[in-house]
Structures are given as C-alpha cells and as structure tokens.
Amino acid sequence: MHELADASGAVIRPYFRVDVSITDKTDPDDAAVYDPVTEADRNGEMAIRNLIRERYPRHAILGEEHGREGEGPELWVLDPIDGTRSFIGGFPTWGTLIAFNDGEAPLLGVMDQPVTGERFVGTPDGAFLAERKLHARGCRDLDAAVLYATTPDMFSPTELPVFEDLAARVQLRRFGGDCYAYCMLAMGLVDLVVESALQPYDIQALVPIVRAAGGVVTTWEGGAPDQGGRIVAAGDPRLHEQVLTRLAGV
Amino acid sequence: MHELADASGAVIRPYFRVDVSITDKTDPDDAAVYDPVTEADRNGEMAIRNLIRERYPRHAILGEEHGREGEGPELWVLDPIDGTRSFIGGFPTWGTLIAFNDGEAPLLGVMDQPVTGERFVGTPDGAFLAERKLHARGCRDLDAAVLYATTPDMFSPTELPVFEDLAARVQLRRFGGDCYAYCMLAMGLVDLVVESALQPYDIQALVPIVRAAGGVVTTWEGGAPDQGGRIVAAGDPRLHEQVLTRLAGV
C-alpha cells in the first residue's frame, strides 16, 4: 500500500497548483489545451495500476479513471484524486484513495495526501497517521456533534431536507470535506459525516480507517457501505444508531 | 512580519489535532476542562502582541482575542486563528492573519499556516508564497468562475438569496474557505470569494495579498474592505465589476 501511495503521489504532486494564470479561462481554445486535474487523475491511477499488475497479476482493479479490469475475487479500488474540486481550487483537502478488498469487504485502506505528506492507513490492527494510532471520540448526542459533508449540492431534492433537518440539530456543520472528513472522524475531531451519491472508489479505502479507529460506517439504511451511494459515518456507535433512525425511509 | 508569524506558529501548532478522544463531549464537566482552540487563539495572539509592544511600543494593536490597545495611527490587525471551525475539525484550511495598517489602509499582510508551512505574504512589491510570486488569473465571465464562501450560514436572510443566485451562475461553487480561499484567489486558482459578516481582523491581512496579485477586494458596495462586513474579492477586475452589479442594493 505504501509503495502504491508513494508512486501515485510522485505523479500527482507536480500537477497541484500549477500556474494557470496565463490561461484566460474565458477563451475556450485556451482552456482545452491543458487540464492538469485530468492529467494528474489519469496518470496517478495508471502508476498504481502498473504496480498492482506487476505484483498481483491475478487481482482485479476498479478505478475512477480507467474502469474495471480482471476478475477478482481480490479487488483493488482506486481514486487517484478524491476531491478534485478542492484540488482545482488549490486546497490541500483531497487525497489518493487505495483500498484492498479481499472479496468480502475492504480490508486495507489508505488515504494519502502527497502535498502535506499525511498518510492515513486503516488495517485490521488499527488506524494510523504515521506513528499515531487513531481513535474516534465518544459523542452520544446529536446536539454536541460536528457534522461534515462535502457539499449540499450532493443531495437529491428528497435527501436535502432530511440532511438540513439533521444539520440544524448538530453543534457545528461544515462543508468541504471529501475523504479528509472521514480521516478527521477517525482522529476524533469530527463526529459525523453524512453524504450521498458516492461511488465505490470514494468510500472503500476509508472504511478500514473509520472502523479500525472505532467508528461505524454504513449506508443510510444501515447496510454495507462498499458500493457507495448514501453514506453515514459516525465516531460513536450510539450516535450512528440515532442518526440512522432520522435517515430511515428517505 | 516573519518574526511575528514564526512566534505565533510555534505557540499554536501544538494545539492542533490534540487527542481529545478521551473526552466524552456529552459530559459537560469534562468539556469545560480543556478547550485547545481557545487556548491556542489567546496564546497565539499574546505571542504576537508581546513582540509588537517590544519593537513598536507606539503602534496600536487590534486583535480578535484581546481587543484594541494603543492609539495609532499605525495599527496591527491580528487574527491568531482565522477558521477556528476548520481548526476544531482538524482541517489545515485555517491561518494566522497579521496585517500592518499605516493609518490609511492595510499595507502589509501575512497569512501563515503553521502546520503545512505555507506563508502567504502581501507587500507593495507583490504577493508571495515562499519564492513564488502570485498572480490572480483572468476570468471575465461569471459562468467560468470558481466561487468560494466559508459557509452558507454566514449570510443573512436577505443576503442568502442573492448569494444563491450568484452561486447558481458560476462554474463551481464551494464552501469551507476562510482565509485560505483569498490566498488561492491570489494564486490564480479561485476566481471569486463572496462573504458576509466579516470582522476587520478577518480581512485586513488578506487585502495586500489579493491586491498585489492583481485582484480586487471591496465591500459589496464597492467601498474599502478594511472594516469587514460584506466582502467580495475577484481575481479579474472585469469579473469584480460584474459581480458588484449583481450585489447592488442588497
């Protein structure tokens, strides 16, 4: 996992905050010339795929940019840049997501931030940021919780009022998280992440990190989160249970 | 400016992401014991104040945590942690803001992120991130713009629909910026920041950074931004003019 993250980080890092000030975005010809995000995304994923193919030629791979290859049951699930909009805006709150799924569930997960040098790792032995072992914090009551979602724009018209109702009851709600919010939950700094419209590669790497830190992550219906969709993660299982009740039947 | 930022960074850094997992937030007695954000805020500002008093005893100081002291006209304007909510959540998108106002306008500004090691500096000779000179990018049309605001919750009931109307016309709108968004605008990665309910210490340090990079920052009415309130910053003066028209009369 570390080799894969090292390789993708080396590819992606040079594309971050490149000077596009000479490009007038309102000139459509100019805008078509160079798209650093797409290039970083594609090349980063390819770097990871190449290494997996070399080492584990029988494993399957599912990635955001280049789709699925191979048959499994062992499956690597990749998102080279989770949080492309943060990446575009120059914010460091994006990450490279790498999950290893043994055919049952995501067993190992990495969220790598190659610019700040942070690497969050989830394993059956615990969740870690470098040497620090991560622990989600206790927070039983909704009105004491810090809630994150990437953006209000991710919710459908039927989901948004339910999210807004939840958000009105917490101590603090904030937008702009992407994968970063799940890692902060595993660190005991965020209590809740409630999102929608996620892809499998948006969540699988984060599942082992959240779970190994003592948190819970499921769909809004309480099912396995592996296929993405509508996701709720909580640092405290008691809070998770409460929130599921509020999200039921949407 | 660098000495001040070094001093505050050394004080604030140890409070970031402290392990509060042992604290059950739902126990009110426990929660009262230790508030790392407040401590970091207060002590960070005090470190800056002490250095200013030593070196420039006749200058006035205005800070978020400890108010105003001295008479000016030279005035230092301080926000030890701009983006306390990001700080609380463990996100690196907050900064220490230090402005020097010569009695007319903010002349020098620093946005220092002591965890990632980023320091954005605005001077009459240009805006810089380390050795890189910053340039805002051209973006004439609203529908090509990347728009940031810290949170939709900062707008009043009369302001929110106007912001929402603006946000519906841009290419991408995102929340969660605080001071970071203005620095990304100066870097040519964000085109617009539209906010409300800012304090003088939320904006004065950012004004020289935005202006030296070629951007424009004013109130929604087009006036001097120094006293905060409702603020609009744009990387392209043509875009700024357009947006002012849309915000007029709110």
Side-chain angles (χ1 to χ4, degrees), chain A residues 17 25 118 144 153 173, chain B residues 17 25 118 144 153 173:
Chain A
R17 294 185 181 168
K25 286 176 63 200
E118 294 163 304
D153 303 335
R173 68 134 181 204
Chain B
R17 293 185 182 170
K25 285 176 64 200
E118 295 164 304
D153 303 334
R173 68 134 181 202

Side-chain angles (χ1 to χ4, degrees), chain A:
Chain A
M1 303 293 281
H2 285 295
E3 279 181 57
L4 299 176
D6 288 344
S8 59
V11 169
I12 294 169
R13 212 179 288 114
Y15 291 103
F16 186 55
R17 294 185 181 168
V18 294
D19 191 348
V20 290
S21 63
I22 46 166
T23 308
D24 189 327
K25 286 176 63 200
T26 55
D27 177 346
D29 294 336
D30 227 26
V33 174
Y34 183 53
D35 179 350
V37 187
T38 305
E39 265 196 46
D41 245 330
R42 286 195 189 143
N43 297 348
E45 184 171 318
M46 200 46 81
I48 303 174
R49 278 179 188 261
N50 290 341
L51 282 171
I52 295 172
R53 273 194 219 106
E54 257 178 58
R55 193 77 64 84
Y56 303 108
R58 296 193 182 168
H59 290 187
I61 305 174
L62 172 68
E64 184 183 18
E65 296 298 321
H66 302 280
R68 182 164 183 135
E69 60 180 295
E71 291 302 324
E74 292 92 349
L75 176 68
W76 296 82
V77 185
L78 314 175
D79 189 352
I81 302 177
D82 181 72
T84 45
R85 285 165 179 161
S86 291
F87 187 99
I88 290 169
F91 284 67
T93 48
W94 52 272
T96 301
L97 299 182
I98 306 171
F100 176 72
N101 189 313
D102 65 359
E104 298 284 328
L107 194 68
L108 300 170
V110 165
M111 186 290 233
D112 186 63
Q113 213 314 316
V115 176
T116 63
E118 294 163 304
R119 183 172 296 170
F120 299 86
V121 180
T123 78
D125 299 324
F128 302 89
L129 170 61
E131 304 301 308
R132 176 169 168 180
K133 192 162 185 181
L134 306 183
H135 303 282
R137 74 179 161 204
C139 176
R140 191 182 315 170
D141 296 333
L142 198 52
D143 63 6
V146 174
L147 165 67
Y148 263 86
T150 295
T151 165
D153 303 335
M154 74 197 322
F155 300 105
S156 76
T158 54
E159 291 163 359
L160 189 60
V162 181
F163 174 81
E164 291 288 1
D165 180 67
L166 192 71
R169 295 165 193 274
V170 298
Q171 188 181 66
L172 174 62
R173 68 134 181 204
R174 294 279 286 181
F175 297 110
D178 291 301
C179 56
Y180 222 89
Y182 295 85
C183 295
M184 293 304 107
L185 184 143
M187 283 194 98
L189 297 162
V190 165
D191 302 297
L192 262 180
V193 185
V194 176
E195 303 204 295
S196 184
L198 298 190
Q199 297 294 325
Y201 43 75
D202 291 329
I203 192 67
Q204 290 218 13
L206 301 166
V207 169
I209 298 172
V210 169
R211 287 186 179 155
V216 183
V217 50
T218 68
T219 63
W220 288 15
E221 292 75 31
D226 308 2
Q227 296 312 306
R230 309 194 296 188
I231 296 294
V232 50
D236 189 321
R238 298 167 296 182
L239 183 62
H240 183 263
E241 209 179 313
Q242 259 189 71
V243 172
L244 277 194
T245 312
R246 294 190 173 276
L247 299 174
V250 179

Side-chain angles (χ1 to χ4, degrees), chain B residues 42-250:
Chain B
R42 285 193 190 148
N43 297 348
E45 184 172 318
M46 200 46 80
I48 302 175
R49 280 180 186 259
N50 290 340
L51 282 171
I52 295 172
R53 272 195 221 107
E54 256 178 60
R55 193 77 64 84
Y56 303 109
R58 293 190 185 171
H59 290 187
I61 305 173
L62 171 69
E64 184 184 18
E65 295 298 320
H66 301 281
R68 185 166 182 132
E69 61 180 297
E71 290 304 322
E74 292 93 345
L75 175 68
W76 296 81
V77 184
L78 314 174
D79 190 353
I81 302 177
D82 180 72
T84 44
R85 285 164 181 161
S86 290
F87 187 99
I88 289 169
F91 284 67
T93 48
W94 52 272
T96 301
L97 299 181
I98 307 171
F100 176 71
N101 189 313
D102 65 359
E104 299 283 328
L107 193 70
L108 299 170
V110 165
M111 186 292 233
D112 186 64
Q113 212 316 315
V115 176
T116 63
E118 295 164 304
R119 182 172 297 171
F120 299 86
V121 179
T123 78
D125 300 323
F128 301 90
L129 171 60
E131 305 300 308
R132 176 169 168 181
K133 192 162 184 179
L134 307 183
H135 303 282
R137 74 179 162 204
C139 177
R140 192 181 315 170
D141 295 334
L142 198 53
D143 63 5
V146 175
L147 165 68
Y148 263 86
T150 295
T151 165
D153 303 334
M154 72 197 323
F155 299 106
S156 75
T158 55
E159 291 163 0
L160 188 60
V162 180
F163 174 81
E164 291 288 2
D165 179 67
L166 192 71
R169 294 164 193 275
V170 298
Q171 189 182 67
L172 174 63
R173 68 134 181 202
R174 293 280 286 182
F175 296 110
D178 290 301
C179 55
Y180 221 89
Y182 295 86
C183 296
M184 294 304 106
L185 183 145
M187 283 195 98
L189 298 162
V190 164
D191 302 297
L192 262 180
V193 185
V194 176
E195 304 205 294
S196 185
L198 298 191
Q199 297 295 324
Y201 44 75
D202 291 329
I203 193 68
Q204 290 219 10
L206 301 167
V207 169
I209 297 172
V210 169
R211 288 186 178 156
V216 183
V217 50
T218 67
T219 63
W220 288 16
E221 291 77 31
D226 308 1
Q227 296 312 307
R230 310 194 293 190
I231 296 295
V232 50
D236 189 322
R238 299 166 296 182
L239 183 62
H240 183 264
E241 209 179 312
Q242 257 190 70
V243 172
L244 278 194
T245 312
R246 294 191 173 274
L247 298 174
V250 179

